[in-house]
Structure formats: C-alpha cells, structure tokens
Amino acid sequence: MRSPNWRINMEKKTLGKTGLSVSRLGLGTAEIGFAYGIKPTLPTEAEAITLLKKAVDLGVTFFDTASYYGLAEERIGKSGILKNPEVIVETKCAQFLEKGEYFSPAELEKKIRSQVEESLRKLQTDALPILMLHGPSKEQIENGELIEIMARLKKAGKFRFAGVSTRGEEPPLAAVASDFFDVIMVAYSILDQRMNKKVLPTAQKKNIGIVNRSVLLKGSLTPLREKLPAELEPLKKASAEAEKIADELGIDLPTLAIRFALSEPAITTTLIGTNKIEHIKKATEAVKAGPLPEKVMKKLRVLAIDDPKQVDPAQWPK
C-alpha cells in the first residue's frame, strides 16, 4: 500500500497575494474536454480521468479549465482530484466578452451567474478557489460593471479569488490597476514575449499571481509547427531557430520552451495543454531541470515576434 507521501514532489510557488501554493507546472484541460489544437483528439471519459489522477501523482496541483471546455469540468469533478486539499482548480466564465457580444447589465449578470453555478455543479464543489473572466477588454474592466458582478459573486461565497484571462497588453494592465483581481492569465513563450515589457513587472510589483498559458504556442514550439499555414512562416522560422538551440543543449524544443517560461521569475505557474500523460511526464522533467542559463536566455530573447497576427492564435488564418 502506498504511503500518503508517495506522490512525486514538484517545486511549488505562492500564487501572489492569494497565498495559495501551486505547482510550477499546471495542466490546461481544454484537450480533455473537446477536440482542440493543431491535430486534435478527444480522450474517453475513463482516459481523461486516468490522466487527471496521474497528473496529480506527478506533482501537478494546479488545473486550468473553463465553462466552455466541453466535457472538461465534468471530467475533473468526476475524477475526484478536487478532494485533495493540495489541488487548486481555476475555471473561466464569460467567453462572450472576448467575442464582443453585448448584453444589458442585468443580462450580463444573469449569464455569468448561470455559468458559475453550472461550473460549481460540474466540478462538484461548493466554492471555486479561483474564478476568471475570459477576455474582457480594457474598457470593460475599467467600466467597473464586471468587477461589481464578480464582487457580488465573491460575497455570496461562489469563489475565493478573482482572476482574468487576457490577450495583449492593455487588458491585463487595466486588471492590475483595478486593485480587484488577485490573478491574471497571460500568454508568454519564446516566440511571444510581449508581456515581459510592462505586464509581468507591473503585476509582480503588486503581488498579482501570474498564470502563463500558450507556452508551446498551440503547437508552434513542437514538430507540429510544420502543419501551420504558410502565412505563419515567420513563426515557423523562429521556432526552427529555437529548435537549433534546443539541439545544442541536447534537449527537445518543448522542454526548452517550458524551461524558458520557468526562467521568468514573475510567472507563478506555467500551463501545458495536453491529453497525453507522456507529455506531462516530460514537462515535469523540464521543471526539475530548472531555469535556463542566462547565455541561453539571451539567444532565445532575440527570437521574440511582436506581431499579434503571428503569435496570437486567435488571429491566425482560418
């Protein structure tokens, strides 16, 4: 029989002012909820639950999900991993904000409340550790309406800490300036280093927890980049240059990408999105290998691409 401490230890870090201790590597669960990515596959419920449990066994204690990730929330709830006090889940609501859909204040609150209640039911929990808004603009954050809705939900005990998932620089900077949000989610990778200029240092100064997504930039920093459309040739070329550096170090490109993100001290946890346990195992090995030497970081910093049409998958050609 396994002892209570058999689980593999992984480096943890405090998620800003939340005080929550989370693994440096987190699991993004879109791929266990619906077919997602460059070459999408969807696991069965049994396969997804097994993967979630094995991820915890490997030391992953931070899980990212969303109300619109298909079956993801339901599968997390059924897995029972949230009964482990070390495991932290954050879910996202209001994806319609990013889509630019408009609702009256009353409709807006009704939709958000409905999504949150559904998330609680599917995750089989009474309160969410972290609830994030998905994709509000700078103007929507500064307007204050969303913050008031979130504040009422928090007061009602629906969640403990407020977060926001954003694109670009202006929305996360507005979120940090609001002094309401405890956590922000941004995209940061070898190819997309835009957040390093203002967002990361500003958030770190205010002790905001930073969750990093898109560390592999939707497969761009893997061999799957060859399947990207021709319009993304600058992205593919920069990725190939990064792979040369990985080869010089005797490691693969995804490992290099993960270690690059871990080398940024402002980032609390970095998500990988996968439905394959072997990818999680390799990622945990990258965490154990630690940050990259500064001379390697210098080589990688020059590969950054600032053009959103290249580094923001939402703007890729369909």
Side-chain angles (χ1 to χ4, degrees):
M1 187 175 177
R2 289 168 170 157
S3 70
N5 298 318
W6 74 274
R7 181 178 57 76
I8 297 171
N9 290 322
M10 183 189 290
E11 182 188 354
K12 288 188 172 185
K13 195 169 181 178
T14 302
L15 188 63
K17 58 187 177 182
T18 70
L20 298 172
S21 181
V22 299
S23 53
R24 294 301 310 279
L25 180 74
L27 180 65
T29 62
E31 290 185 36
I32 68 164
F34 64 101
Y36 175 85
I38 295 175
K39 193 177 179 182
T41 59
L42 179 64
T44 65
E45 182 175 289
E47 289 169 339
I49 288 173
T50 297
L51 179 126
L52 290 165
K53 290 180 176 178
K54 285 187 176 178
V56 176
D57 293 345
L58 288 166
V60 176
T61 62
F62 188 82
F63 292 80
D64 163 74
T65 192
S67 60
Y68 42 89
Y69 281 2
L71 300 167
E73 288 183 326
E74 185 177 341
R75 290 175 166 186
I76 291 169
K78 287 181 176 180
S79 74
I81 63 171
L82 298 187
K83 293 176 183 176
N84 183 333
E86 292 185 46
V87 171
I88 304 297
V89 67
E90 62 85 4
T91 194
K92 300 183 289 295
C93 66
Q95 187 191 24
F96 51 76
L97 295 172
E98 188 171 78
K99 292 180 176 179
E101 297 175 15
Y102 174 80
F103 302 99
S104 69
E107 289 175 315
L108 182 63
E109 182 157 359
K110 184 178 178 181
K111 282 186 172 291
I112 290 175
R113 281 184 176 274
S114 175
Q115 287 186 0
V116 172
E117 292 293 351
E118 188 71 358
S119 292
L120 290 168
R121 184 186 66 78
K122 288 180 177 178
L123 291 166
Q124 299 183 25
T125 187
D126 296 327
L128 298 162
I130 304 165
L131 175 65
M132 285 193 173
L133 291 170
H134 182 104
S137 66
K138 172 180 181 283
E139 292 73 23
Q140 287 170 320
I141 292 169
E142 291 178 342
N143 171 273
E145 205 169 79
L146 289 168
I147 289 176
E148 289 172 8
I149 293 169
M150 291 282 279
R152 285 193 284 272
L153 286 168
K154 185 176 182 179
K155 189 176 180 180
K158 302 300 180 183
F159 69 90
R160 291 181 63 196
F161 300 106
V164 62
S165 176
T166 58
R167 292 183 184 276
E169 278 191 317
E170 288 190 346
L173 288 173
V176 171
S178 75
D179 289 327
F180 175 77
F181 295 98
D182 307 292
V183 185
I184 60 171
M185 181 186 289
V186 297
Y188 179 75
S189 68
I190 293 170
L191 304 178
D192 182 4
Q193 300 176 39
R194 294 171 297 161
M195 297 300 102
N196 213 8
K197 296 168 185 173
K198 293 180 183 177
V199 175
L200 296 186
T202 304
Q204 188 179 31
K205 195 175 292 184
K206 285 204 171 186
N207 198 24
I208 303 295
I210 301 173
V211 177
N212 179 40
R213 70 173 187 272
S214 296
V215 67
L216 301 179
L217 195 52
K218 207 172 181 181
S220 301
L221 287 161
T222 76
L224 288 175
R225 70 173 179 271
E226 296 306 322
K227 296 183 179 295
L228 293 172
E231 294 93 332
L232 298 178
E233 190 57 37
L235 190 72
K236 293 160 76 172
K237 185 177 178 182
S239 177
E241 290 299 315
E243 190 161 48
K244 289 179 186 176
I245 295 170
D247 289 342
E248 290 170 6
L249 295 172
I251 60 178
D252 61 25
L253 183 53
T255 295
L256 182 74
I258 291 166
R259 291 182 65 187
F260 175 83
L262 291 169
S263 301
E264 171 47 64
I267 292 171
T268 313
T269 186
T270 289
L271 303 174
I272 62 158
T274 184
N275 56 28
K276 295 179 172 55
I277 194 64
E278 58 266 29
H279 293 169
I280 300 174
K281 287 178 180 176
K282 282 195 69 70
T284 60
E285 289 166 7
V287 175
K288 288 176 190 173
L292 293 166
E294 182 55 31
K295 63 180 181 180
V296 176
M297 292 295 288
K298 284 182 180 177
K299 290 181 181 179
L300 293 172
R301 288 188 187 113
V302 301
L303 299 180
I305 298 173
D306 287 339
D307 182 1
K309 290 181 180 178
Q310 291 289 315
V311 293
D312 185 352
Q315 298 189 42
W316 286 357
K318 302 300 181 186

